[in-house]
Amino acid sequence: MTTADPTSPHPAWLPPAAFRAIGSRQTLVCGDGTLVETVRDEVARACARFGGTVQHSTGAATEPERTGVGARPYDLVLALRAAGSLPAGAAPAVEVGRELGPDRGGLDPEGFALARRDGVTVVLADAPAGLLYGLFEVVRLGAAAFDADRAVRVHSPALRLRLVSHWDNVDVHPVMGQVERGYAGGSIFWRDGAPIGDSDRIREYARLLAACGMNAMTVNNVNVHGTANRLLTDRLGDVAAIADLVRPYGIRVHLSVNFAAPVALDGLHTADPLDRDVRAWWARAAGRIYGTIPDFGGFMVKADSEGQPGPYRYGRTHADGANMLADALAPYGGVVHWRAFVYNHRQDWRDRSTDRARAAYDHFTPLDGRFRDNVIVQVKHGPMDFQTREPVSPVLAAMPGTRLAVEVQATQEYTGQQRHVCYLGPWWSEVLRFAPWGPGRPTVAAVVGGSSRDGDRTAPAGDDDRGVSAGGGLVVVSNVGADHYWTGHPLAQANLYAAGRLGWAPDLDPLAVLDEWIDLTFTPSATGDPDLLRGTLHALLDDSWRTYERYTAPLGVGFMVAPGHHYGPDVDGYEYSRWGTYHFADRDGVGVDRTRATGTGFTGQYPQPWADRYESLDTCPDELLLFFHHVPYQHVLHSGSTVIQHIYDTHFAGVEQVAEMVRRWERIGPAGLVGPALHARVTERLAEQLRSARQWCDTINTYFLRKSGVPDVRGRRIH
Ligand code: GCW
């Protein structure tokens, strides 16, 4: 990679060199429409740099034939199947099309077929979006796309909706700043209440999103306040401007809205979802939006959560609230993402039956089947709140009559705030592959992909994109900001990339995804040893989530973080607070008893086999032991270690692993394998990670030594 140009954003996984293989060849693009033009423009841009050519034939006129170049052999043909006859030089594409034939049926609207035959690489799609995703698949393959023959392979996304949720504030929030939980500088959309107006950056961002497989985004925080309310009304033009910029990359814009917007904006006396005037207000708002943004995606709502307004205030249910908005959007094909992140954040800690982990299930599962088809209930992947380790939310297995989306957090609120290397691909992959009904039964990916309506049968997804069968897909909270590297920590780019790729294909190996990201992002330099760079990046990233877990939160304990900003250790920071209680450590033991037998009964929210597996100390996985059980410090884990010794050992080991990461990264500096600016940025962040890891280790080990009185069997120094 060359030295970063500080005036333009870092190219992330789309540096010009990633297009070398395409840009040095002869390409034919066939078809009509904005996204096809994007494909043509992308190829043309690459050709301008690397000397190849591109011909574009629309359905109406096959330009290559008219100009007599039709007989030339192409290296790459990207064609819509309906684009009409192909020129002679694209004959292999015709054959591939025939093979794909009527018996293979229509391709997914975002899908494509890829093959290589007789020296021609062929991408066929039935809709322009498919051609765009096909192009980026060829980019990913690089030179390999033009090597040996390839049998026809049909690609389509497993999850229909793959949305990036921005917690970007329009106004600067007095506590949260321009981006809530943002660790990468300001917002790429907003500054001090107004649009930033950096069209190039927003366009580049849309390109990056499309290239990793995303197709939607919200442009404002789920906590909606101040000027953000007005994005629905007199500031709608700001949203339309963003939509215009991202549309050519197949990204649809959604808005986070305030449930009480009719009150906040127009002085209505109520926001009751069953009130006629309120319903009419939302219907008018939707009409206005679609008049301005015809492909608007829909609304995202955080209601009755952490102080946000919602239907409870009017004695109504979440279904009443969500359905009202759904009805307003339905005539235009919009959806409502209604978040299930609802819990009592004013708890009385003396009441041991209150359990935040239970909340989403208790609030939402009674409403299963009562949401409109264009409502997506958006469920955080764990029952708590994006902690380093949590079980999968049982809600994902408990609402067969509802479209569900799973929400993950790329912004590293609880995983090192983009100062620590923490590759989350392996974590999300575990979540998506989790089988709530046991091995061999549908996974979370199947639930949110719509191929599983319940645990007892697997039904194919419907053809339409409405209804429960369509699933609700993946939502990822963005980790992007106005920073040169987009994500503050340059290596945190891998998280956004992985979210898109896993949303498209949840079965992908997260380490293979990392290889894709490395290959695209880091162009091998003429002098450097690419294996050294790849080896170093794998050494830093592969196990980084587990390393982070080792020096922070043992065995499923969460929230031992400093209250408010959530960075760094504070074991009792949230303990016995109104937000919840998370470890119950005392002189005898630690952990939260969530069993049915003696605890909060949370284990009962799971179907079998997990309800029993989590309930029993004999079968509960070590890594979640303290999430489900309160045990003495001397309790022996399946690993053979005691709980207290495990805490000491993992904390020391985690720090040692970070020290090794520092050494590995230092070693590649002189080799010039990455630009000096990027190398320096990562070096600086690693130094902070090491400092912070030591602090975590000291704090946690000291706390538990004092509480338990049990010494480290290895006699290491604990303060
Ligand atoms: O994790 C918590 C965060 C809040 C966030 C909330 C949510 C946007 O601390 O900052 O608010 O989750 O998901 O709504």
Side-chain angles (χ1 to χ4, degrees):
M1 185 190 292
T2 52
T3 306
D5 172 2
T7 59
S8 60
H10 184 261
W13 49 90
L14 290 181
F19 289 82
R20 180 185 299 277
I22 294 174
S24 53
R25 289 182 163 80
Q26 324 305 318
T27 296
L28 175 69
V29 176
C30 304
D32 263 332
T34 309
L35 271 58
V36 178
E37 281 160 27
T38 303
V39 169
R40 181 207 52 210
D41 293 349
E42 285 286 339
V43 178
R45 181 147 69 147
C47 290
R49 185 178 289 264
F50 295 108
T53 64
V54 58
Q55 305 282 337
H56 183 194
S57 109
T58 62
T62 45
E63 185 196 326
E65 279 177 334
R66 278 195 288 110
T67 55
V69 290
R72 67 185 297 179
Y74 294 100
D75 302 304
L76 173 63
V77 176
L78 296 141
L80 286 184
R81 287 209 285 179
S85 59
L86 293 169
V94 177
E95 263 176 53
V96 171
R98 219 174 280 133
E99 190 177 308
L100 203 54
D103 36 330
R104 294 290 277 270
L107 295 170
D108 181 279
E110 295 180 310
F112 58 92
L114 177 69
R116 181 164 171 84
R117 172 106 24 114
D118 303 330
V120 183
T121 300
V122 179
V123 175
L124 297 178
D126 285 349
L131 225 49
L132 183 66
Y133 291 118
L135 168 73
F136 286 123
E137 179 70 12
V138 177
V139 172
R140 246 188 308 277
L141 290 169
F146 302 96
D147 281 355
D149 276 8
R150 286 175 180 266
V152 181
R153 183 171 159 209
V154 175
H155 298 248
S156 58
L159 312 185
R160 180 130 304 173
L161 261 160
R162 305 171 303 279
L163 182 146
V164 186
S165 167
H166 281 264
W167 288 354
D168 296 28
N169 294 317
V170 178
D171 303 315
V172 176
H173 185 274
V175 179
M176 292 297 170
Q178 192 76 70
V179 180
E180 180 152 349
R181 312 302 180 189
Y183 312 106
S187 164
I188 59 171
F189 304 119
W190 316 106
R191 189 192 292 138
D192 289 334
I196 266 192
D198 185 348
S199 312
D200 290 347
R201 191 181 249 269
I202 296 173
R203 216 178 284 115
E204 277 310 300
Y205 182 52
R207 251 184 114 216
L208 290 170
L209 291 184
C212 70
M214 295 293 185
N215 63 4
M217 66 176 173
T218 58
V219 296
N220 64 312
N221 189 1
V222 290
N223 292 324
V224 185
H225 30 68
T227 310
N229 279 306
R230 291 165 45 204
L231 298 178
L232 272 173
T233 52
D234 60 312
R235 298 290 291 272
L236 182 57
D238 298 348
V239 184
I242 298 173
D244 288 345
L245 293 168
V246 302
R247 182 173 298 114
Y249 286 95
I251 309 289
R252 289 172 86 170
V253 162
H254 297 233
L255 260 192
S256 295
V257 299
N258 177 349
F259 189 76
V263 178
L265 287 165
D266 272 335
L268 265 65
H269 71 280
T270 177
D272 181 348
L274 301 191
D275 182 275
R276 264 194 23 210
D277 292 342
V278 173
R279 298 178 71 84
W281 190 93
W282 283 106
R284 276 197 308 278
R288 203 167 44 233
I289 294 173
Y290 281 93
T292 314
I293 311 171
D295 59 352
F296 179 70
F299 297 145
M300 185 176 288
V301 192
K302 173 176 178 176
D304 289 315
S305 167
E306 299 186 333
Q308 295 297 310
Y312 283 162
R313 166 146 186 202
Y314 308 100
R316 310 298 184 195
T317 68
H318 283 278
D320 294 331
N323 290 344
M324 168 196 58
L325 297 177
D327 290 343
L329 295 168
Y332 315 98
V335 295
V336 178
H337 283 85
W338 189 272
R339 297 178 86 226
F341 183 59
V342 176
Y343 69 101
N344 178 3
H345 69 290
R346 296 180 196 285
Q347 290 175 29
D348 176 358
W349 59 264
R350 293 167 208 83
D351 170 12
R352 295 289 281 254
S353 68
T354 310
D355 180 5
R356 179 170 165 183
R358 292 190 57 112
Y361 183 104
D362 288 343
H363 284 284
F364 280 87
T365 58
L367 302 174
D368 184 36
R370 288 174 51 193
F371 292 96
R372 301 276 192 266
D373 281 352
N374 61 331
V375 172
I376 291 169
V377 172
Q378 180 174 320
V379 184
K380 286 193 180 182
H381 68 77
M384 207 55 97
D385 190 4
F386 299 137
Q387 298 304 292
T388 313
R389 174 80 74 167
E390 298 182 38
V392 165
S393 169
V395 178
L396 291 163
M399 300 189 68
T402 305
R403 280 175 86 173
L404 296 178
V406 65
E407 183 177 346
V408 300
Q409 194 186 40
T411 196
Q412 291 173 231
E413 176 178 4
Y414 295 103
T415 51
Q417 304 200 347
Q418 281 137 262
R419 289 181 248 184
H420 297 224
V421 178
C422 189
Y423 175 51
L424 294 163
W427 185 202
W428 301 334
S429 168
E430 265 189 32
V431 170
L432 290 164
R433 293 180 196 212
F434 181 75
W437 297 274
R441 311 295 288 280
T443 59
V444 167
V447 170
V448 300
S451 59
S452 157
R453 300 264 315 256
D454 57 42
D456 299 322
R457 68 200 169 89
T458 302
D463 285 342
D464 65 335
D465 62 350
R466 305 276 186 87
V468 177
S469 61
L474 178 80
V475 174
V476 55
V477 182
S478 165
N479 59 354
V480 154
D483 168 57
H484 171 69
Y485 294 101
W486 299 91
T487 49
H489 200 308
L491 304 185
Q493 290 176 1
N495 284 329
L496 187 60
Y497 182 81
R501 294 292 289 142
L502 292 173
W504 180 282
D507 285 345
L508 284 174
D509 172 356
L511 299 187
V513 170
L514 203 50
D515 268 323
E516 289 179 10
W517 175 75
I518 292 169
D519 287 340
L520 290 166
T521 306
F522 300 94
T523 313
S525 78
T527 49
D529 171 359
D531 290 337
L532 175 62
L533 177 59
R534 180 184 304 282
T536 304
L537 289 167
H538 276 294
L540 260 69
L541 286 156
D542 285 6
D543 207 31
S544 52
W545 161 57
R546 290 194 180 82
T547 298
Y548 186 82
E549 179 182 36
R550 280 181 204 110
Y551 63 80
T552 58
L555 304 168
V557 171
F559 280 104
M560 298 195 301
V561 292
H565 58 71
H566 297 166
Y567 188 72
D570 185 346
V571 183
D572 283 337
Y574 276 112
E575 205 62 359
Y576 302 120
S577 80
R578 65 187 179 96
W579 300 90
T581 292
Y582 303 99
H583 61 67
F584 290 110
D586 59 21
R587 63 175 193 179
D588 301 316
V590 56
V592 186
D593 184 352
R594 294 196 160 103
T595 63
R596 309 194 279 292
T598 53
T600 68
F602 171 67
T603 60
Q605 293 186 344
Y606 287 87
Q608 296 297 4
W610 295 102
D612 284 353
R613 210 166 278 174
Y614 290 142
E615 175 81 3
S616 161
L617 273 177
D618 294 336
T619 51
C620 184
D622 281 353
E623 70 271 15
L624 289 169
L625 183 72
L626 302 183
F627 194 94
F628 286 106
H629 297 273
H630 186 87
V631 294
Y633 291 108
Q634 300 285 17
H635 174 84
V636 179
L637 299 166
H638 301 299
S639 69
S641 183
T642 61
V643 165
I644 189 71
Q645 195 56 43
H646 174 95
I647 293 175
Y648 299 147
D649 289 347
T650 51
H651 282 78
F652 285 120
V655 172
E656 198 27 62
Q657 280 159 335
V658 177
E660 176 60 14
M661 286 158 71
V662 171
R663 287 192 288 273
R664 294 288 300 245
W665 187 253
E666 257 168 24
R667 242 179 274 154
I668 66 158
L673 290 167
V674 298
L678 188 144
H679 191 269
R681 173 77 74 97
V682 174
T683 301
E684 157 219 312
R685 305 249 154 171
L686 281 170
E688 164 55 17
Q689 182 170 2
L690 184 56
R691 185 210 60 78
S692 173
R694 286 189 178 127
Q695 185 191 9
W696 270 98
C697 174
D698 279 353
T699 310
I700 302 292
N701 283 350
T702 304
Y703 179 95
F704 284 103
L705 175 65
R706 294 250 175 95
K707 271 265 145 88
S708 70
V710 182
D712 172 27
V713 294
R714 292 182 179 81
R716 287 161 294 198
R717 181 157 173 224
I718 297 175
H719 295 287

